[in-house]
Amino acid sequence: MKFMTLKIPPVAFVVLCFLLACKACAREDTLIMDGWRFMQGDPAGLAGQAMSPAYLNWNDANWQMISLPHCWGWQEAQQGKKNPRGPGWYRRDLDIKPQRGKRYFLRFEAAGSMADVYLNGQFLGEHRGAFGAFCYEITKQLSSSGTNLLAVRVSNATDPDIAPLSGDFPVYGGLYRPVHLIETANENFTLTDHASPGVAWLQTSITKKQAVLDVTAQISNGTMKRQPLTFVANVLDADGKRIAGGEESIILESNVTAPFSLHIVIHHPHLWNGLKDPYLYQAVVELRSEDDVVDSVTQPLGLRFYRVDPDKGFFLNGEPYHLHGVDRHQDRPNKGWAISQADQDEDVALLKEIGATVIRCSHYQYSDYFYGQCDRAGILAWAEIPQVDKIDPSETFAETSRNQLLDLIRQNINHPAIFCWSLFNELRPGNPDPHRELQDLNSLAHGEDPTRPTIAATCTGGWPQMNKIPDLLGWNLYSGWYGEWGSLSQWSAIDKYRYTSRHGGFCVSEYGAGANVSQHEDNPRQPKKTDGPWHPEEWQAIVHEEAWKEMKARPYIWGTFVWNLTDFTSFWRHEGGVNGRNDKGLVTADRKIKKDAFYFYQANWAETPTLYITDRRFVDRTNSVTYVKIYSNARKVGLFVNGISQGVVKNDGNAVFIWPKVQLSPGENKIEARVRIGGQNVSDGCVWNLHKPAF
């Protein structure tokens, strides 16, 4: 059996020395990624009998050998077929000989969407929900021989008690995020409180002059004896220097997990300031005995404060800070949800390249790794639970939803990038009444985290009081595409939504249009059927130009979120010339082609010099007179066709430059743009071919 030990990221020498002090007793975290055996479905005649002796004797010689992350269903979904919903089994041998004075845990970062976990035939527990982590202690179930058999039954079968009950994305099955084996001392910061880090660093009061932190740790005693310990919390700066901290002598009663708190004040804090300066401290909590450090947890800490003004928009650290960015889905072609850290890094790099200040992590909890990358990049994050389209009125659905919200908050409360907790997306009249459930979730979120607002994304005023339950509100609006907002001119009517939120003001949580990068059109117009086969790239660009112009002119619209960063799988869609694809992304699903609209936003949002000729993939043309459109953050742009100047055009204030009537010559035409931005000469070019019309 092979384990993969997690690598500690490079840190300053002082921090490393500080942490190595607890070398003898610190927890060990080992990834269990290889050596899994997998079977789709339940073994014949043994469904639900994993606790019986027969379970240990299953013949899994013909099971598929796989590595994590792993999921199923993407093959069918991305072909435009309904993805399979049902069970699958994972088995793996664990060579762990338990040591006296140690405790052992298995932490699963996610399983889609129900998981029953067994060790040596003993049931450890069930987790319901496809996106949150879960953790079980296995100390008592481990065999003294060191030979152990782990089995996990994962099912993505439709269940009326588990959200999402609907949505424009498939629910895949599988262990699609990593699994960890964690070893600790008998006393530890608990790992089994909704798989949280066991500590919450609440930012009670943050100003430019002072940061007040209330640290609450859930500390567990796995022994039958009362334990005298010292609870310590320290804040280290980026160079590893201790700048603040506190400690308390505690008595930990036998066989309990109890909360302990410390109050820490930092004077003149270095604030986490979004893209400009995503400064991170190191937050370290320790349990100390008389002789050593018993357990420790280290996390990044970004200190910031923010508010939403219903008239003037979003403020970060007391200064105006417009939130403009995208929504995202986590799937990838030929992978589904089983994506790597490199895949997630690529998406964060796209966010940075386009100049996004915020991302909506729709429509479910993302990986801890992705939130952490947002912390480091300075990109604010909207975190969400998967209540999409409708709820079930049962108490079991409400309980599962509460647990999904607890997973989201407790596991991610220390991420500075996260600025809100979202309760739902597009709950619609005609489905069960959600008001009481949403009020309960709203109260739960505020009780767990009084420092962040709640939010939701709506598409209807049919339940006006529903939209006023969360603190903040987003509207999903598709002017120029479909629904009551089908006409592009409807953007001018956006003011009617201003006072639909609890306090006034709102964000546009979704907007956009589909685009196939292989489909092009002169004089583009809105497709007659947006669910049909024709999605020209040029129309998507026009929708975004109009939307951004109208939204940025209204300060009370405190945030804008393009739907979507990338194209993604939606098995029921057969449109835009591609089966199983929602093509509203600014980037293709494989992340290889950035659509014209991507560069429109880069020209408006990013500080990087941008110059981009649109319609560049519209290579073969039949109209000799055409327009040329360019996106740039320059003040003026010069255009050349076949080396001949077409004149200079000034920025229209929306980063758009248009030459309305440009003459093309038969055959190949070289289109070139030239600008000077920030003292740099920048150019862009493409080739268009003019053909005779085929009659």
Side-chain angles (χ1 to χ4, degrees), residues 211-265:
V212 178
L213 304 172
D214 286 296
V215 186
T216 300
Q218 307 293 331
I219 302 177
S220 176
N221 183 357
T223 74
M224 298 304 295
K225 296 181 179 179
R226 300 171 79 231
Q227 299 291 344
L229 297 167
T230 303
F231 168 38
V232 182
N234 285 307
V235 177
L236 313 179
D237 66 16
D239 296 322
K241 179 182 177 182
R242 180 184 181 277
I243 62 163
E247 62 180 65
E248 178 187 9
S249 296
I250 64 173
I251 299 294
L252 194 57
E253 298 296 331
S254 63
N255 202 30
V256 301
T257 299
F260 294 88
S261 300
L262 288 170
H263 186 76
I264 296 175
V265 177

Side-chain angles (χ1 to χ4, degrees), residues 148-194:
N148 302 275
L149 182 59
L150 170 64
V152 187
R153 183 183 190 268
V154 179
S155 175
N156 65 333
T158 302
D159 189 312
D161 298 336
I162 303 176
L165 301 179
S166 180
D168 190 22
F169 59 96
V171 175
Y172 299 122
L175 295 177
Y176 68 91
R177 291 181 188 154
V179 177
H180 302 249
L181 171 66
I182 302 172
E183 177 185 325
T184 74
N186 277 330
E187 301 82 25
N188 58 38
F189 298 102
T190 186
L191 292 91
T192 56
D193 181 24
H194 283 265

Side-chain angles (χ1 to χ4, degrees), residues 41-279:
D42 283 319
L46 290 175
Q49 298 184 36
M51 295 178 70
S52 73
Y55 158 76
L56 297 175
N57 298 317
W58 283 356
N59 183 357
D60 58 14
N62 294 324
W63 289 22
Q64 181 183 358
M65 293 298 299
I66 60 100
S67 296
L68 303 184
H70 173 266
C71 74
W72 68 81
W74 56 263
Q75 299 94 330
E76 294 84 356
Q78 68 186 38
Q79 295 174 13
K81 304 173 185 177
K82 189 172 183 179
N83 61 298
R85 305 287 296 266
W89 280 89
Y90 295 85
R91 280 162 57 104
R92 194 190 193 284
D93 299 319
L94 296 178
D95 297 333
I96 309 168
K97 192 163 187 178
Q99 300 179 38
R100 186 178 182 85
K102 297 291 186 181
R103 297 169 71 180
Y104 300 86
F105 301 83
L106 287 171
R107 187 177 191 271
F108 299 78
E109 291 193 22
S113 55
M114 295 168 280
D116 296 310
V117 184
Y118 305 86
L119 185 70
N120 296 328
Q122 299 179 62
F123 181 59
L124 298 179
E126 178 187 57
H127 183 263
R128 300 170 67 78
F131 308 103
F134 51 99
C135 185
Y136 300 113
E137 183 167 2
I138 60 173
T139 308
K140 294 180 180 179
Q141 290 80 13
L142 286 172
S143 169
S144 59
S145 70
T147 301
N148 302 275
L149 182 59
L150 170 64
V152 187
R153 183 183 190 268
V154 179
S155 175
N156 65 333
T158 302
D159 189 312
D161 298 336
I162 303 176
L165 301 179
S166 180
D168 190 22
F169 59 96
V171 175
Y172 299 122
L175 295 177
Y176 68 91
R177 291 181 188 154
V179 177
H180 302 249
L181 171 66
I182 302 172
E183 177 185 325
T184 74
N186 277 330
E187 301 82 25
N188 58 38
F189 298 102
T190 186
L191 292 91
T192 56
D193 181 24
H194 283 265
S196 75
V199 57
W201 290 77
L202 286 183
Q203 301 189 25
T204 303
S205 174
I206 310 293
T207 67
K208 293 180 180 179
K209 294 183 178 180
Q210 179 176 274
V212 178
L213 304 172
D214 286 296
V215 186
T216 300
Q218 307 293 331
I219 302 177
S220 176
N221 183 357
T223 74
M224 298 304 295
K225 296 181 179 179
R226 300 171 79 231
Q227 299 291 344
L229 297 167
T230 303
F231 168 38
V232 182
N234 285 307
V235 177
L236 313 179
D237 66 16
D239 296 322
K241 179 182 177 182
R242 180 184 181 277
I243 62 163
E247 62 180 65
E248 178 187 9
S249 296
I250 64 173
I251 299 294
L252 194 57
E253 298 296 331
S254 63
N255 202 30
V256 301
T257 299
F260 294 88
S261 300
L262 288 170
H263 186 76
I264 296 175
V265 177
I266 301 173
H267 298 289
H268 304 291
H270 189 156
L271 297 179
W272 186 93
N273 201 30
L275 294 180
K276 299 174 185 177
D277 184 14
Y279 184 86

Side-chain angles (χ1 to χ4, degrees), residues 34 44 58 136 240 252 276 307 352 395 591 634 654 666 676:
D34 301 321
W58 283 356
Y136 300 113
L252 194 57
K276 299 174 185 177
R307 64 185 176 90
K352 294 169 68 175
E395 176 53 36
R591 277 68 170 175
N654 209 33
R676 188 168 179 81

Side-chain angles (χ1 to χ4, degrees), residues 468-622:
K468 295 185 178 182
I469 291 173
D471 302 311
L472 304 174
L473 185 66
W475 275 92
N476 298 346
L477 305 172
Y478 285 92
S479 178
W481 199 243
Y482 47 51
E484 69 167 298
W485 277 75
S487 170
L488 191 59
S489 63
Q490 286 295 311
W491 277 117
S492 61
I494 197 171
D495 296 316
K496 69 180 181 180
Y497 295 94
R498 181 169 183 178
Y499 298 105
T500 56
S501 63
R502 186 193 298 186
H503 300 300
F506 65 95
C507 71
V508 178
S509 41
E510 293 181 22
Y511 67 102
N516 183 330
V517 294
S518 299
Q519 296 179 351
H520 303 283
E521 185 175 276
D522 271 327
N523 302 313
R525 294 166 293 178
Q526 180 177 345
K528 291 182 180 180
K529 289 185 64 178
T530 54
D531 62 351
W534 187 244
H535 286 183
E537 185 178 9
E538 288 75 17
W539 182 251
Q540 182 194 52
I542 289 174
V543 168
H544 283 291
E545 291 167 19
E546 185 67 20
W548 177 246
K549 180 179 68 175
E550 294 292 341
M551 290 186 296
K552 76 174 185 178
R554 293 166 167 81
Y556 67 84
I557 299 178
W558 53 264
T560 62
F561 299 80
V562 174
W563 188 267
N564 196 279
L565 175 62
T566 67
D567 297 345
F568 60 92
T569 300
S570 175
F571 71 82
W572 63 271
R573 289 183 182 267
H574 305 279
E575 57 192 48
V578 180
N579 288 331
R581 183 72 52 81
N582 185 315
D583 63 358
K584 295 185 184 70
L586 299 178
V587 182
T588 55
D590 58 11
R591 277 68 170 175
K592 291 183 178 180
I593 299 176
K594 297 161 190 168
K595 303 179 187 180
D596 286 355
F598 179 94
Y599 292 97
F600 169 73
Y601 286 112
Q602 186 184 61
N604 278 282
W605 297 347
E607 295 183 0
T608 305
T610 300
L611 179 66
Y612 178 83
I613 300 172
T614 70
D615 308 273
R616 65 201 306 117
R617 284 172 284 276
F618 191 3
V619 175
D620 295 310
R621 297 165 175 256
T622 57

